[in-house]
Amino acid sequence: MRFLIQRVSEASVTVEGQIIGRIGKGFLVFVGISASDTQAIADKMIKKLVGLRIFEDGDGKTNLDMKTVDAQILLISQFTLYADCRKGNRPSFISAGEPRMANALYRYIVEKVRQEIAVVEEGSFGASMKVSLVNEGPFTVLLDSQEICGGRT
């Protein structure tokens, strides 16, 4: 599982010309789910995500987490985080989770994050989306379950 996290002052997602999700200060998180991911892996990744201290305190140090600053979150499913570009010029997505399993795990992640964070918006799984953001910093972090969960994907 991979979470590509961008600290934003605002972000939104549009499908077929309609904004379906919009946040202010918080995280825009692209969620990549692999074929071997599980709810247990998702739980560890969510705990790390919510606890990340990458908001600035009064001294300008990245010392505060989402709950401390009342941050919002926009979750976007993105299988392309599992693009394999080692061979040729056309990426392979063989490591990405099959759609039905990935959607179920994405739904699980959205609901679990809603238990932790007051404002949670989301994209539309499998839809063609337009994502807009203002990245603060810029500050972008990649959480990979292989690192977070001790070698597991």
Side-chain angles (χ1 to χ4, degrees):
M1 186 171 297
R2 293 180 178 146
F3 289 175
L4 181 66
I5 304 157
Q6 298 193 27
R7 188 181 71 185
V8 300
S9 57
E10 62 185 68
S12 65
V13 59
T14 302
V15 174
E16 296 180 3
Q18 298 293 316
I19 294 175
I20 63 167
R22 180 190 315 240
I23 63 166
K25 179 180 182 176
F27 290 166
L28 167 61
V29 182
F30 295 102
V31 178
I33 297 170
S34 78
S36 61
D37 285 328
T38 64
Q39 289 182 358
I41 290 170
D43 289 341
K44 290 178 184 177
M45 295 287 285
I46 293 165
K47 182 178 179 182
K48 181 64 79 172
L49 169 69
V50 172
L52 276 180
R53 298 183 337 181
I54 61 173
F55 291 98
E56 294 176 355
D57 63 17
D59 296 324
K61 305 277 187 202
T62 52
N63 225 5
L64 304 176
D65 65 19
M66 295 189 75
K67 291 180 182 179
T68 305
V69 301
D70 293 321
Q72 302 173 354
I73 193 165
L74 173 57
L75 297 164
I76 306 288
S77 175
Q78 188 170 0
F79 76 95
T80 61
L81 287 175
Y82 276 95
D84 182 346
C85 299
R86 291 177 290 184
K87 295 181 181 177
N89 292 320
R90 184 171 183 267
S92 167
F93 299 102
I94 197 161
S95 295
E98 66 87 14
R100 190 173 52 177
M101 179 280 283
N103 187 30
L105 198 47
Y106 173 69
R107 301 284 351 126
Y108 176 84
I109 291 165
V110 169
E111 294 310 314
K112 284 293 193 171
V113 172
R114 284 193 168 128
Q115 294 172 14
E116 300 287 331
I117 303 299
V119 176
V120 178
E121 296 286 323
E122 61 181 289
S124 178
F125 186 92
S128 177
M129 296 176 272
K130 307 264 189 265
V131 180
S132 299
L133 69 135
V134 176
N135 190 322
E136 286 291 322
F139 208 122
T140 303
V141 174
L142 177 64
L143 294 182
D144 190 316
S145 61
Q146 285 190 314
E147 296 171 359
I148 303 303
C149 300
R152 294 211 42 206
T153 15

